Amino acid sequence: MSSFRKRVPESQPKIPPATRLNAHSAQLLVSTGVPSLDDLLGGGLPVGGMLMIEEDRQTGYSNTLLSYFSSQSLAAGHKLCIVNADQEIDLKTQLPGWATLNTVQADAPVKDSTSEAMKIAWRYQNLPRVDGDDDANRQKTGSSSTSEAAEIPFCERFDLMLRIQPAIVDQAQVEVLDGDRLLRLASSEKYGGDMYQCVLDHISSLIDDGFSSLKPVAPNTERNILRIEIGSLGSGFWQGSDSLAILKFLHRLRGILRYSYAVCVISFPAYLYEDSGTRLPIVRRIEHLCDAVIELESFEGAYASPSDIVARQAKSGASTSQDYHGFVHIHKLPRLNSLTASVGRLSLLHTGGGSANNLAFRLRRKKFSIETYHLPIEGGVSERRVPAKDDPKALRPGISVGGIGCGSTPGRKDPLEF
C-alpha cells in the first residue's frame, strides 16, 4: 500500500443549489427555466454573465421567457431582483407554476422509459433529450435516499396553465423595483432622475450583501445565487443623464457581475432603435456589452399590422399547436473563461457554426420551447395528396375503369404514344 495520499481540504466549497458545472470550461451554470434555451447557451447561463433578449415587435414572447426565469429562481431558492420601469409587477398572477414529479405522480406507477425499446429508431433511444425535463434524474433521486430526494433539480418543469402558489412568493427572497417606486427613488436629490444609476447602485448593494465572490465565506457554508431581471431596458420610460447612459450602465453592470454569484437577464426593445427599418449603430454596441444575445422574431409582429394581429387572435382555429410562432436568432453566445463558446460541443440544437439559422420557437398551452425549424408539408395535413380509387379524376385521360393494358383502351389511341 502506497504511503502517498492526496491532500484534500477538510472543507470543500459547496456549489450553490440548482447549479452545475460546465463540462467544457468548468464554469458554474444556472438554468433559465427553459431547457431548450439552456441547450442553446451551452447547458445554462454562466454565473457572472448577462443574457439579453431582444424583444419582438407588437408581441410579448420575451415576457414569457422572463417569467420562466423568475419562476426558476423561486423554485431553486435563489434571491430574485426584478427591475421594470414600464409596468407594475405582480408575481402571484404573472409567474407560471410548477409541480414536481413526486406530487403530480405520487399515486401513479413510475414508468420506466429504459424498458421500452424503440421499435423503429432504436439507435436514438439512448440519446439525450432537449426537453426531457430531467424526468429520469428526478425518479432516481426520489428513490435513493431522503437527503438526495430533497435535492433541488437544475431545471423545474413549469406549466403555463398553472399559477404560482402565493405562499411560495411570500416566503421567497424577492425585491421589486417597478413603476412608481423606481421613479420615486430615481427622482431623489441623489440621482436627479437618472434611473440607470439608481438601479446600478441598488444591484451593487445587493451583491455586496453576501453575493460577492471577493468576500470569503465560512467553511461548509453554501452560497446562494442572485438572479437579476431587467425588463424593457432602454424603453421610453427609462430616464438617463445623457444619450449614452445605457452603454455606461451595461459596462458597469458587467464589471460588477464578473466578481459575483449573480446572473442577469435583460429584455431590450431593439425595434425602438431603428431608422426607416435599419437598426442604429448603438444596437450593435449594446450587444457587444452583453455576454449572450438572442432575438425573438415572431411571424405576427414582423408581417402584420396591429389590427391584423387582433383579428387573427379573435379568429378561432387560426393556429394549432403544430405551428411555429417565430424565429430565434442567435447574435452572441457566452464564452466566459474560454476563447470559444462551448455550444458546438454541448448543444443538441445549435452546432455552433454556419450562417444558416434554422431555429424557431412555439408557445403551446403549457410550455414555451425552441426547436429546429422544419418546413410544413406541402398542401397541409388536412388535404388528401393521394386521390381515392373511386375518384374519376384519379384516372388518366383516355383510360376507363374497365380498360386493360398499361394505359391503353381497346379502340382508342394509347396516350403514352407520342
Side-chain angles (χ1 to χ4, degrees):
M1 182 177 180
S2 176
S3 61
F4 295 97
R5 293 183 180 180
K6 184 179 180 180
R7 294 188 59 183
V8 180
E10 296 180 358
S11 57
Q12 288 283 357
K14 297 181 180 180
I15 63 174
T19 59
R20 63 186 178 190
L21 296 177
N22 191 333
H24 174 63
S25 61
Q27 181 72 29
L28 194 62
L29 303 177
V30 297
S31 175
T32 59
V34 183
S36 53
L37 180 57
D38 294 340
D39 178 80
L40 291 180
L41 298 176
L45 183 61
V47 174
M50 183 167 44
L51 168 65
M52 174 171 285
I53 304 173
E54 296 185 358
E55 297 180 3
D56 184 49
R57 186 189 303 272
Q58 302 172 354
T59 56
Y61 294 110
S62 60
N63 295 331
T64 303
L65 291 180
L66 293 180
S67 63
Y68 270 101
F69 181 77
S70 301
S71 294
Q72 178 61 36
S73 175
L74 301 184
H78 299 162
K79 188 170 183 177
L80 177 62
C81 176
I82 300 179
V83 180
N84 197 316
D86 293 12
Q87 59 182 353
E88 301 292 334
I89 302 298
D90 186 8
L91 300 180
K92 298 180 181 180
T93 59
Q94 296 177 358
L95 296 187
W98 70 90
T100 58
L101 191 66
N102 296 332
T103 57
V104 175
Q105 300 178 352
D107 300 331
V110 179
K111 185 178 180 181
D112 189 6
S113 59
T114 58
S115 61
E116 296 183 359
M118 301 182 68
K119 299 300 177 73
I120 301 177
W122 56 270
R123 298 182 179 179
Y124 308 111
Q125 63 182 354
N126 295 326
L127 293 179
R129 295 179 56 187
V130 176
D131 265 343
D133 296 329
D134 296 337
D135 290 345
N137 296 334
R138 294 172 185 267
Q139 295 174 5
K140 292 179 181 179
T141 55
S143 60
S144 57
S145 61
T146 56
S147 60
E148 295 181 356
E151 184 180 355
I152 302 176
F154 178 75
C155 183
E156 267 287 357
R157 170 184 293 180
F158 299 99
D159 190 346
L160 294 178
M161 298 186 65
L162 301 177
R163 291 295 121 193
I164 192 171
Q165 300 179 4
I168 298 178
V169 179
D170 296 337
Q171 298 175 3
Q173 305 178 20
V174 182
E175 292 198 14
V176 179
L177 289 177
D178 60 344
D180 297 337
R181 183 185 177 188
L182 180 57
L183 181 61
R184 185 171 57 255
L185 292 176
S187 301
S188 62
E189 185 179 357
K190 180 180 179 181
Y191 301 108
D194 191 354
M195 291 186 176
Y196 294 98
Q197 187 62 37
C198 177
V199 173
L200 191 65
D201 291 346
H202 184 75
I203 294 175
S204 179
S205 62
L206 290 178
I207 293 178
D208 291 339
D209 189 15
F211 296 97
S212 177
S213 60
L214 301 178
K215 297 180 179 180
V217 296
N220 297 327
T221 301
E222 188 178 47
R223 287 186 178 270
N224 201 0
I225 298 295
L226 172 63
R227 290 175 177 251
I228 305 171
E229 174 190 321
I230 304 178
S232 299
L233 180 68
S235 64
F237 291 92
W238 285 80
Q239 302 175 8
S241 58
D242 51 15
S243 59
L244 301 179
I246 184 173
L247 298 178
K248 300 176 183 178
F249 171 79
L250 293 175
H251 186 271
R252 296 172 184 174
L253 179 60
R254 186 177 65 173
I256 295 175
L257 293 176
R258 282 296 187 271
Y259 300 96
S260 66
Y261 284 85
V263 292
C264 183
V265 174
I266 302 173
S267 65
F268 174 66
Y271 57 89
L272 297 179
Y273 296 81
E274 293 182 357
D275 185 13
S276 301
T278 304
R279 289 189 175 182
L280 300 178
I282 192 175
V283 178
R284 189 68 185 96
R285 298 178 64 181
I286 291 175
E287 294 176 352
H288 180 70
L289 291 174
C290 300
D291 298 311
V293 181
I294 65 172
E295 178 186 358
L296 301 180
E297 180 188 1
S298 68
F299 300 143
E300 294 180 351
Y303 305 109
S305 61
S307 58
D308 296 337
I309 296 177
V310 175
R312 186 179 304 177
Q313 293 177 350
K315 184 179 179 181
S316 60
S319 61
T320 61
S321 60
Q322 301 296 330
D323 297 334
Y324 297 101
H325 292 85
F327 289 117
V328 178
H329 302 284
I330 302 177
H331 297 292
K332 191 176 182 181
L333 293 172
R335 53 190 68 193
L336 278 70
N337 298 344
S338 178
L339 296 177
T340 59
S342 58
V343 177
R345 299 175 176 88
L346 303 177
S347 177
L348 300 177
L349 292 174
H350 188 65
T351 58
S355 58
N357 195 324
N358 59 341
L359 297 176
F361 68 90
R362 65 176 67 186
L363 181 62
R364 299 187 179 94
R365 293 194 306 167
K366 293 188 176 183
K367 69 175 182 178
F368 179 97
S369 61
I370 300 176
E371 305 172 3
T372 303
Y373 180 74
H374 300 284
L375 293 176
I377 302 176
E378 183 179 1
V381 296
S382 60
E383 181 179 349
R384 185 184 181 93
R385 298 188 299 275
V386 180
K389 295 182 180 180
D390 54 351
D391 189 1
K393 297 181 180 180
L395 300 178
R396 291 181 297 179
I399 303 177
S400 61
V401 178
I404 58 176
C406 296
S408 60
T409 303
R412 296 185 181 182
K413 184 180 179 181
D414 191 348
L416 297 179
E417 293 181 359
F418 296 93

